[in-house]
Amino acid sequence: MQDTDRDLLPEGLGDRLPQQAAASQRVRRAVLDVMAGHGYERVETPTIEFEKSMASRMAGVQVRRMFRLVDPVSLRTLALRSDITMQVGRVAATTLAAAARPLRLCYAGQVVTIKGDGLDPTRERLQIGVELIGSDSEAAAAEIVEVAIESLRAAGATGISVDFTLPDLVDALSAEALPLAASQVEDVRQMLDAKDAGGLVDAGGEAYLPLLYAVGPFDTAIERLAEFDRLGVLAGRIAGLRAIAARVDGKARLTLDPSERHGFEYQSWFGFTVYAEGVSCSLGRGGTYRILGGQEGEPAGGFSLYPDPLIEVLAAEGGERKVLFLPLGHDKQIAERQRAIGWTTLAALSESDDPVALGCSHRLENGEAIPL
Amino acid sequence: MQDTDRDLLPEGLGDRLPQQAAASQRVRRAVLDVMAGHGYERVETPTIEFEKSMASRMAGVQVRRMFRLVDPVSLRTLALRSDITMQVGRVAATTLAAAARPLRLCYAGQVVTIKGDGLDPTRERLQIGVELIGSDSEAAAAEIVEVAIESLRAAGATGISVDFTLPDLVDALSAEALPLAASQVEDVRQMLDAKDAGGLVDAGGEAYLPLLYAVGPFDTAIERLAEFDRLGVLAGRIAGLRAIAARVDGKARLTLDPSERHGFEYQSWFGFTVYAEGVSCSLGRGGTYRILGGQEGEPAGGFSLYPDPLIEVLAAEGGERKVLFLPLGHDKQIAERQRAIGWTTLAALSESDDPVALGCSHRLENGEAIPL
C-alpha cells in the first residue's frame, strides 16, 4: 500500500538527511565551543511555554507568528517558541536575577513560526546565540561582534562581512538636532529604512537626506555620518562604532548602514547583521537592547545566528566519509581500538552486507584498514 | 513592577541552568559520538509534523499524548513530536527507501507530551537513539545493546544494568504450545506483566505460571525459561538471548524478565531496558520491531535513551570550572592562545567587573594564568 499523503511533511518543515545533519552538528558544536571559550554558559529552555511569558519579555515580539495551543493542564495558552532570546531574557531576569553581572549566557535550539518569512516558506530554523546581560557598553558590543565573527568562522563560513547600524538613530536625532513632529517619526524611519529619498522628503524628513549617503564601506561611511552630525548629537555613538570597528578590523569586511531598522525594532544604540560569502541571506544579527521587566530595563547585548543556509552550503561541499567495514567474526578489541583512534566502524551483520553499497571506504583485514 | 505570574513556566516544563545545561551537552555529545563511531548517521526531523504521519508509522503510538494544533497553511492537524523513533521510521521508509540495508541512523532531540507519565509531571524530555533498519537478527539486536551500553558509559553512567525481555512471548506460546482462547490472550499478558499469579490463574493462564519464576539474574533465569520451554517453541529466542548476553558479558549486569511487556507494545521478539547506578528510573529501552507501511513491515531494531535523570545526577556532581579572567587592556593574542589550548576566558568589560564573583578561577597577569 502506497500512502503518499501520509509521507508528506507540512510546508516549510523538513528533514535533514545524513549529510545535512552532519554539517548541522558540526556547525552547532563549533559555534557553541567558541561561545563557551569566551565564557558564555549554556542554558536550555523549553520548546513551549506560556504565550504571555514569551510575549512580555521583549518589545517587538510578534505573537501572531507563534503557533499557539491550549494547555489541558493549566487551561492557559501556550506558544511554540519562535525565538530563544526572550526565554534567555526570562532566565536572566528571574532565576539568575542574583547572578553577578555581566552575565554571559548562550543557547542553541530549534525555533518554529506559524508562517515563513516573505518568499521563504521555511517555518523551522536553528537559532544559536549569546546574551551578555548587564552591559550595553561599547566594550560589550565589541565583544559580541567579535564572538559572532569567530563563531561563524569556526563553523566554516568564509568571507564574513558585518553591517553596522544605529537602531535608535531617528529617536536620537529627532529629540534635539533635527526635530520631527511625533506623527512624522515613524514615516521618516520607514523611508530611511526603504532608502526612499522622495518618500523621505514627503514625510518631512528632508534634513535626514544625507543619511542615505552615509552608507557603504565602514571607513568612508562613518566619515560621512560624522560630517552630517554637525551638532555632535551622535558623537558618542560614532565613537562607539569606531571602537568596535577597530576591534574587529581584519577579521571581517565592515559596512555601515546607519538607518537600517528592519529586524532591529527592539535594539537600542547598536545593531549589526552578519553575512558570509556564498550565502545569499544574512546569517544572523545582534546588538544592544534592554530586557523588559525583571531588573527594570537591564541593559544587554547579544546576537542570534540562523545558520541553516550555511549548513546547506557546507553539506553540499560534502567531504569524504572514512568508514571501516568490520567483516563477520572480526576481532572486537581491534575494532574498539580503531574507533578510539577516530575511525567510524560498520560491523557486518550477515554475509550479504555489502561494504561498498554501505558507503565504507576501508575494510578490516588481519588487523589493518585496507582501502576498498 | 513584579509580575510573578508572567515568570511562571507551565507544569512539567523547565529550564536547564548552566550546570545542568553543561551536563546535558556533555551527555548528548558523548552519546552521539559513540553512535557515530559505530556507523550510525545522524538525521534531524522537524519539531512538528502532520498528526496522521506521526501516528501511522508505528503501532502503539499514543496520539492522545501529543499536543495537537491546526496548521493555518494546510488547514490540517499537526502534532508536536512526542517520539522521534517514528519520524526516523518515516525517513527510512520514504526518502531513504533506496539506501542500502542495513541502514544505521541516529538522532537526538526534545520530545514533548501533553501530560506527564504517572507521578512524574515532566512533559519535555531529551530523546537520543539509534535505528538499525533492515534487520532484526540476533546480530542486529546484539549490536544495539552494545551501542546502548557503550553510549551510557561514555555519557558518565556507572553500574549499568540491562533487563532483557521477549515482547511477543505470549503470542509465540499461545499459538501452539500453550493455547489460549483469543479472548484470554490480553488478560494473560496483563497478569504476566503485573506478576499477578492469582490473576494469571483466573485469566486461564495457569500453564504460564512458571514464567513468573524465570525472572532475575540472566544466567539462572534463562535456564528456568529453557526448562519451562519443553516443546522448544522458544528455542530460537532463547538462543538469541544467550548470544546477545555473551556479546555484552562483562559490560553490564544482565537480568531477564521474559514476560515484561509494558513499554514494549510495538516490539517484536526482543526488548531491553537499561538502568544505571544512582538513577532510580530506567534510562532507556529498545528492541526489535517492524516499520509499518513503507517497505511492508521492514524488520528493524533500535533503542531510545531518555538521559534527563542521568543529567541531573551528573550536574549535581558538578566539577570545577576553570575560567581565566582577562583584565582590561589584556593582550588579545595571548588570550586567543589561551583559548586555543582549552581555557575558557572571560574578558573584563569595565573596572568594576569582579573576577571572583563572576566565577573565575584564574587571572591573566603578564601572560600567565595566576590562580585567584
Side-chain angles (χ1 to χ4, degrees):
Chain A
M1 188 191 71
Q2 197 67 16
D3 183 353
T4 51
D5 184 46
R6 189 190 59 187
D7 299 337
L8 284 174
L9 282 177
E11 183 180 311
L13 298 168
D15 300 312
R16 280 208 175 100
L17 298 181
Q19 205 154 334
Q20 281 78 33
S24 163
Q25 182 172 300
R26 280 196 306 273
V27 164
R28 213 162 35 231
R29 288 187 179 193
V31 168
L32 286 168
D33 285 346
V34 167
M35 293 167 173
H38 286 272
Y40 290 82
E41 293 193 272
R42 177 108 185 238
V43 288
E44 292 179 17
T45 54
T47 303
I48 46 176
E49 58 175 271
F50 291 130
E51 175 195 28
K52 192 181 173 191
S53 170
M54 296 262 207
S56 63
R57 190 61 62 187
M58 202 167 279
V61 169
Q62 294 175 282
V63 176
R64 280 171 307 149
R65 295 198 68 209
M66 292 195 266
F67 272 108
R68 281 163 288 175
L69 30 91
V70 174
D71 179 10
V73 174
S74 63
L75 298 178
R76 291 178 56 186
T77 304
L78 305 179
L80 205 48
R81 67 181 180 193
S82 62
D83 183 358
I84 302 173
T85 304
M86 48 194 154
Q87 296 187 303
V88 176
R90 173 180 54 70
V91 174
T94 58
T95 328
L96 297 179
R101 265 49 175 174
L103 176 64
R104 288 170 172 87
L105 300 174
C106 69
Y107 59 84
Q110 297 295 120
V111 293
V112 180
T113 51
I114 205 163
K115 290 200 173 187
D117 198 1
L119 291 176
D120 179 4
T122 308
R123 298 199 280 173
E124 178 168 6
R125 297 193 291 174
L126 171 63
Q127 182 184 15
I128 316 183
V130 307
E131 303 303 329
L132 175 49
I133 293 135
S135 176
D136 62 356
S137 69
E138 169 192 306
E143 175 171 309
I144 58 174
V145 177
E146 269 190 305
V147 175
I149 294 170
E150 202 180 310
S151 296
L152 282 178
R153 208 173 39 194
T158 54
I160 297 168
S161 66
V162 181
D163 190 32
F164 291 162
T165 185
L166 292 172
D168 66 356
L169 180 72
V170 173
D171 297 322
L173 289 170
S174 64
E176 323 174 32
L178 303 174
L180 289 173
S183 61
Q184 293 175 309
V185 172
E186 195 45 42
D187 284 348
V188 167
R189 271 200 202 118
Q190 284 184 13
M191 292 305 138
L192 281 169
D193 209 9
K195 310 271 180 292
D196 182 343
L200 186 58
V201 173
D202 292 347
E206 194 167 356
Y208 288 75
L209 272 176
L211 283 176
L212 295 184
Y213 304 96
V215 165
F218 183 80
D219 292 339
T220 52
I222 196 79
E223 288 305 326
R224 288 200 189 134
L225 184 64
E227 281 163 33
F228 164 75
D229 181 43
R230 281 178 226 118
L231 296 178
V233 176
L234 305 176
R237 287 175 176 75
I238 290 172
L241 289 180
R242 287 192 204 269
I244 298 167
R247 275 275 290 274
V248 298
D249 187 38
K251 296 177 180 169
R253 202 170 65 89
L254 301 182
T255 56
L256 177 65
D257 186 351
S259 61
E260 171 83 14
R261 194 169 158 82
H262 178 68
F264 294 99
E265 290 81 1
Y266 66 85
Q267 308 290 352
S268 57
W269 75 273
F270 174 67
F272 69 101
T273 311
V274 281
Y275 300 87
E277 225 166 59
V279 181
S280 57
C281 52
S282 80
L283 286 171
R285 63 165 69 103
T288 57
Y289 64 96
R290 302 242 158 196
I291 297 180
L292 292 187
Q295 308 201 348
E296 297 198 11
E298 193 174 12
F303 66 81
S304 292
L305 301 178
Y306 297 94
D308 287 359
L310 175 65
I311 290 166
E312 289 304 311
V313 170
L314 296 172
E317 288 170 4
E320 277 295 277
R321 199 171 162 239
K322 287 187 73 182
V323 181
L324 179 61
F325 183 74
L326 307 173
L328 285 179
H330 65 271
D331 183 319
K332 302 271 172 201
Q333 291 193 325
I334 291 177
E336 204 173 323
R337 281 204 296 275
Q338 298 291 335
R339 281 191 296 274
I341 61 169
W343 277 97
T344 291
T345 65
L346 210 146
L349 297 178
S350 76
E351 283 296 351
S352 63
D353 287 3
D354 177 351
V356 175
L358 290 169
C360 295
S361 58
H362 292 69
R363 178 189 174 91
L364 187 69
E365 274 178 37
N366 305 318
E368 305 260 327
I370 310 295
L372 280 171
Chain B
M1 187 192 71
Q2 198 66 19
D3 183 353
T4 50
D5 183 45
R6 190 191 58 186
D7 300 337
L8 284 175
L9 282 177
E11 184 180 310
L13 297 169
D15 299 313
R16 280 208 175 99
L17 297 181
Q19 205 154 334
Q20 282 77 34
S24 162
Q25 182 172 299
R26 280 196 305 274
V27 164
R28 213 161 34 232
R29 289 186 179 192
V31 168
L32 285 168
D33 285 346
V34 168
M35 293 168 173
H38 286 271
Y40 290 82
E41 293 193 272
R42 177 109 184 237
V43 288
E44 292 178 17
T45 54
T47 303
I48 46 175
E49 57 176 272
F50 291 129
E51 176 196 27
K52 192 182 174 193
S53 170
M54 296 261 208
S56 63
R57 189 62 60 187
M58 204 167 279
V61 170
Q62 293 176 281
V63 176
R64 278 171 309 151
R65 295 198 67 208
M66 292 195 264
F67 271 109
R68 281 162 289 175
L69 30 90
V70 173
D71 179 11
V73 174
S74 63
L75 299 177
R76 291 178 56 186
T77 304
L78 305 179
L80 205 47
R81 66 180 180 194
S82 62
D83 183 357
I84 302 174
T85 305
M86 48 195 153
Q87 296 186 302
V88 176
R90 174 179 54 69
V91 173
T94 58
T95 327
L96 297 179
R101 266 47 177 174
L103 176 64
R104 288 171 172 86
L105 300 174
C106 69
Y107 60 85
Q110 297 295 119
V111 292
V112 181
T113 51
I114 204 162
K115 290 202 172 185
D117 198 1
L119 290 175
D120 179 6
T122 309
R123 297 199 279 174
E124 178 167 6
R125 297 193 291 174
L126 170 62
Q127 183 184 13
I128 316 183
V130 307
E131 304 302 329
L132 175 48
I133 293 135
S135 176
D136 62 356
S137 69
E138 171 191 307
E143 176 172 309
I144 60 175
V145 176
E146 270 191 305
V147 174
I149 295 170
E150 200 180 314
S151 296
L152 282 177
R153 206 172 42 193
T158 55
I160 296 168
S161 65
V162 181
D163 191 32
F164 290 162
T165 184
L166 293 172
D168 66 356
L169 180 72
V170 173
D171 297 322
L173 288 171
S174 65
E176 325 173 32
L178 304 173
L180 290 172
S183 61
Q184 294 174 309
V185 173
E186 196 45 42
D187 284 348
V188 166
R189 272 198 202 116
Q190 285 183 12
M191 293 305 139
L192 281 170
D193 210 9
K195 310 271 181 293
D196 181 344
L200 187 58
V201 173
D202 292 347
E206 196 169 354
Y208 288 77
L209 272 175
L211 283 176
L212 294 184
Y213 305 96
V215 165
F218 183 80
D219 292 339
T220 52
I222 196 81
E223 289 303 326
R224 288 199 190 133
L225 184 63
E227 280 164 34
F228 163 74
D229 181 43
R230 278 176 231 123
L231 297 178
V233 175
L234 305 176
R237 287 175 176 76
I238 290 172
L241 289 179
R242 287 192 205 267
I244 298 167
R247 275 274 291 273
V248 298
D249 188 39
K251 296 177 180 169
R253 202 171 66 89
L254 301 182
T255 56
L256 177 66
D257 186 350
S259 61
E260 172 83 14
R261 193 169 159 83
H262 178 69
F264 294 100
E265 291 81 0
Y266 68 84
Q267 308 289 353
S268 56
W269 75 272
F270 173 67
F272 68 102
T273 312
V274 282
Y275 300 88
E277 225 165 60
V279 181
S280 56
C281 52
S282 80
L283 286 171
R285 64 165 70 102
T288 56
Y289 64 96
R290 302 242 157 193
I291 297 181
L292 292 186
Q295 307 201 348
E296 299 200 9
E298 195 175 10
F303 66 82
S304 291
L305 301 177
Y306 297 94
D308 287 359
L310 174 65
I311 290 166
E312 289 305 311
V313 169
L314 296 172
E317 287 169 5
E320 278 296 278
R321 198 170 162 241
K322 287 187 73 182
V323 182
L324 179 61
F325 184 75
L326 307 173
L328 286 179
H330 65 271
D331 183 319
K332 301 273 173 199
Q333 291 193 325
I334 291 177
E336 204 174 323
R337 280 204 296 274
Q338 298 291 336
R339 282 191 295 274
I341 61 169
W343 277 97
T344 292
T345 66
L346 209 146
L349 297 179
S350 77
E351 283 296 352
S352 62
D353 287 1
D354 177 349
V356 175
L358 290 169
C360 295
S361 58
H362 292 69
R363 178 188 173 93
L364 187 69
E365 273 178 37
N366 305 317
E368 305 261 328
I370 311 295
L372 281 170

